[in-house]
Amino acid sequence: MSTALAGAPSTIAAVPLIRRCAVLGAGTMGSRIAAHLANAGLPVVLLDIVPANADPAGRSRIAAQALQALLKSKPAAFYDKSSAGLITIGNFEDDLALLKSCDWIIEAVTEDISIKQALLEKIAPHLRPDTIVTTNTSGLPVASIAAKMPADFRSRWFGTHFFNPPRYMRLLEIVRTPEANPQAVAVIADFADRRLGKSIVYAHDTPNFIANRIGVFAMLTATALMQELDLTIEDVDALTGSSIGWPRTGTFRLADMVGIDVLAHVARNFQSSKAEDAAATKLPAFIETILERKWLGDKTGQGFYKKIPDAPDPKNNRLALDWKALDYRPAQRPKFPSLEMAKNVETLPERLQLLIGSGPGKDKASQFQWTLLTRIWNYAADCLPEIADDISSIDRAMRTGFNWELGPFEMWDAIGVPQSVERLRARNEHVSPQTEALLASGKTSWYSDTAQGRAEFNTAKRDYEPVHRPEGIANIAAFKHANGVVRKNAGASLVDIGEGIACLELHSKKNAIGDDIVSLITQTLHPDSEHVRNFRGFVISGDASDFSVGANLMQLLLAMQEGDWDEVDLAVRAFQRMTSSIKFCPRPVVAAPFNLCLGGGTEISLHAAARQPSAELYMGLVEAGVGLVPAGGGTKEMALHAVDAAAVESGVSPTEAPLKFAFSGELQDALRQRFETIGMAKVSTSAAEARGLDLLKPSDKITLNRERLLLDARETAVYLAENGYAAPTPRTQIPVPGDQVGATLKLGVHLMRQAEYISDHDAKIGNHIVRILCGGSVTPGTFVTEQYLLDLEREAFLSLCGEHKTQERIAFTLKTGKPLRN
């Protein structure tokens, strides 16, 4: 994106490139913002106050303690802990000179306008004339904070509201003031999008901006309805969770996590808003009481819930607040028939239709959800002209800031705007003037899918206009809509995504890899396939929340229980053919994994010509956790990685001196590291960590913004295609150490069993992994082929499938989603 925008004031200093940042305030939010800037590879200065009575060595103690807390935080603040070395700590008295070298400074001190104003005056003499300064306030008026500063400072000042925790929450609300330089705003927006992975939403400078405005209204409306309908804390959390596409935490568990004092602070910001907002968001008396008692949620050990220390049953370790008695009692599991039925409904629009599609029912659950949602939808429509430029900004803010599956206008469309308005009118309930205008224009939905893409209703123009999508952001659905589908089955589709590249989209349930995906990928990538002739490269990815949870274990378990070993054998061979077709395809195949990429999903990625991972990547060969070994070529690829890494490290030629190479310490170390990755079913917590596990290569580029992943992967495929890509040939001279060297690894397995770190079945799995990595019972230095290693994988897999304990593990994981160590 260009940093020069037409119409920018010519008297303002040139806008800098963002190369070094500072964060003012080392509290929970400020320190985590600093950590995420370091995740992007930027040097960061982190400053806070000098503690009272601090000795000379402890004047920067607050920032130092914050940095130590970041290293221990869960969830992890850093992609890789080494990034902490990019943070320089200091204080507001001794270290303001460090700000001179900073291009972007983020103020993140306590939510008190006078404190913020005093700090701005203090730092102003230490800034370059082009330094951009923004505030991370969660709802204070941005322009007012800098009102006393000179005009040139105000031109470089606006709001950048991060959501906590900044690494994981994708929303960044940019709050433009009338005096803010458009160039400066554009530079920060582009940097935050591409380098920090943020979904950018432009908010008006009004109390609580967009997401907190709608989100806190929703939470307090849910609280008021709880009192009105005599529901419990647990009832409301069940009714405001996954059934309506909100996080499983519901309303009150989320408040405990965020902090009830933080919720109260945002709610009180409404008091400067219009009268009806102030009335609707007044904190109820029982919340004021728990605030007085300092029951602030997780950080104080109790809030709407209280954790029972050392509870005998980990599943029942919480007490719930009785909001009438203001005392705690054992948490109860709510039972609403409508929610039980909704569990069986796959998509959110269908669930909403089931739950409230016919309006408020006779039971409290239906009445609660109907009233809550229609009030939120109307409130969002009422607020629209005040808080945002368009409805898509509000929907995007709620999806990425509060993790709603659909924003309020998208939810309203799913129910049907005309039908719900008719029922509201029949009950003499409020209907927003914006909604009345929508229907009066002859339109029946807030969004419309057109030949040019998705369009949204513009309330000022009373017509649809295209939803703005920044260049480089796309999803597969948009290409499907524009180009259609080349071929598909129930589990996967082949979609033309432009530039001569096709995407193999995974779309089975949880993207579990079954027969459909295996057959479509294998047939598509076959050297004689028409698709290989018609396209110059391929991307493997998807639009779902996860890349792939791995192989379809249900299919496998059924075959195992029926003793159909021929079917299992054929399935493993087919899976291996699929990964081989990826590796040896004449066209470059780029895997674009994101979020969960487990087991077979990781094996797909390992065989690609390149990987374009999302920064948030939970990747691992986890088969040992279900009693198996990676048999889709994953163990074979890790053995090859070990051989290649050891050859570089040792300087010994594997082909010219295979015996010497087989006994080299470098090969043994390389094999041990890969053994631990597979045998311990290690899963990365980021793409950076996946590199350390050898699941990604150092050359694999990482995309921080998930919405840019598809086109970034396409760009990688195009680059490979245009720069003479040649597919590898199957390797036939792989020197392996055999059982003699493998005995060292097996000794390690034995010692772990003796120390009772692992079970007998774990040891059996571990010995199978060692056998594959070391090439089986052969003389050290023997040359083997890739197919030989694949055969070892398949033999081990089939052997373990016959074990009762493996079947127990698979069944347990399918039922609970967790591993069983039996």
Side-chain angles (χ1 to χ4, degrees), residues 532-550:
V532 169
R533 293 195 299 270
N534 294 339
F535 293 99
R536 56 178 179 163
F538 299 89
V539 167
I540 303 178
S541 197
D543 277 349
S545 57
D546 298 311
F547 180 76
S548 175
V549 295

Side-chain angles (χ1 to χ4, degrees), residues 555-572 797-798 801-802 807:
Q555 282 184 0
L556 176 63
L557 182 61
L558 291 174
M560 291 162 61
Q561 290 174 337
E562 292 173 6
D564 196 343
W565 305 117
D566 287 341
E567 181 182 337
V568 175
D569 181 64
L570 289 172
V572 177
F797 190 91
L798 289 168
C801 281
Q807 296 181 28

Side-chain angles (χ1 to χ4, degrees), residues 21 23 30-44 67 70-71 73 75-87 162 165-169 191-192 194-198 614-616 618 685-689 691 702-705:
C21 299
V23 178
S31 63
R32 285 178 176 264
I33 291 172
H36 195 51
L37 290 165
N39 283 336
L42 267 76
V44 187
L67 184 55
L70 288 173
L71 289 167
S73 64
F78 294 109
Y79 291 149
D80 187 294
K81 287 185 178 180
S82 63
S83 297
L86 290 169
I87 298 178
F162 291 80
R167 170 184 162 181
Y168 301 94
M169 298 303 293
F191 178 85
R194 296 175 187 275
R195 295 288 299 277
L196 301 182
K198 296 302 175 187
S614 169
E616 293 299 337
Y618 303 84
T685 59
S686 67
E689 196 171 290
R691 279 178 173 160
I702 296 172
T703 296
L704 273 84
N705 189 335

Side-chain angles (χ1 to χ4, degrees), residues 426-687:
R427 295 166 61 88
N428 200 30
E429 294 180 13
H430 172 66
V431 177
S432 167
Q434 306 295 336
T435 311
E436 298 282 17
L438 169 77
L439 298 176
S441 72
K443 308 294 190 294
T444 58
S445 63
W446 293 105
Y447 291 95
S448 174
D449 288 324
T450 69
Q452 289 73 41
R454 200 177 195 205
E456 61 184 311
F457 185 71
N458 183 306
T459 56
K461 298 177 181 177
R462 300 296 191 259
D463 202 354
Y464 292 117
E465 62 180 18
V467 174
H468 174 67
R469 188 183 291 272
E471 184 181 350
I473 287 179
N475 57 23
I476 301 169
F479 286 107
K480 279 184 173 179
H481 184 82
N483 302 336
V485 176
V486 179
R487 65 178 298 185
K488 69 175 293 186
N489 60 31
S493 295
L494 184 68
V495 182
D496 184 345
I497 59 172
E499 302 287 336
I501 306 299
C503 179
L504 285 154
E505 178 198 13
L506 311 184
H507 52 64
S508 63
K509 186 175 182 179
K510 296 185 178 180
N511 283 349
I513 303 165
D515 295 341
D516 290 332
I517 290 174
V518 168
S519 63
L520 189 134
I521 291 178
T522 305
Q523 293 166 19
T524 299
L525 300 182
H526 190 278
D528 297 329
S529 161
E530 63 176 307
H531 309 299
V532 169
R533 293 195 299 270
N534 294 339
F535 293 99
R536 56 178 179 163
F538 299 89
V539 167
I540 303 178
S541 197
D543 277 349
S545 57
D546 298 311
F547 180 76
S548 175
V549 295
N552 189 323
L553 290 178
M554 180 60 75
Q555 282 184 0
L556 176 63
L557 182 61
L558 291 174
M560 291 162 61
Q561 290 174 337
E562 292 173 6
D564 196 343
W565 305 117
D566 287 341
E567 181 182 337
V568 175
D569 181 64
L570 289 172
V572 177
R573 290 176 187 270
F575 206 110
Q576 291 180 344
R577 282 196 299 273
M578 175 192 69
T579 54
S580 292
S581 73
I582 294 169
K583 183 172 183 177
F584 303 119
C585 179
R587 306 295 192 188
V589 179
V590 177
F594 52 90
N595 206 21
L596 288 182
C597 176
L598 305 176
T602 300
E603 291 182 295
I604 284 176
S605 295
L606 284 171
H607 286 81
R611 285 138 297 278
Q612 182 77 45
S614 169
E616 293 299 337
L617 182 63
Y618 303 84
M619 188 180 205
L621 294 165
V622 297
E623 286 83 353
V626 289
L628 297 167
V629 297
T635 313
K636 175 260 297 182
E637 284 298 304
M638 294 299 270
L640 296 181
H641 289 193
V643 167
D644 294 342
V648 172
E649 192 71 23
S650 67
V652 177
S653 170
T655 54
E656 294 178 7
L659 186 60
K660 181 179 179 182
F661 179 74
F663 281 102
S664 68
E666 289 82 3
L667 179 60
Q668 293 182 46
D669 285 344
L671 288 169
R672 178 184 52 78
Q673 291 168 15
R674 275 89 185 161
F675 168 77
E676 290 176 357
T677 295
I678 301 171
M680 297 174 69
K682 290 184 177 181
V683 177
S684 71
T685 59
S686 67

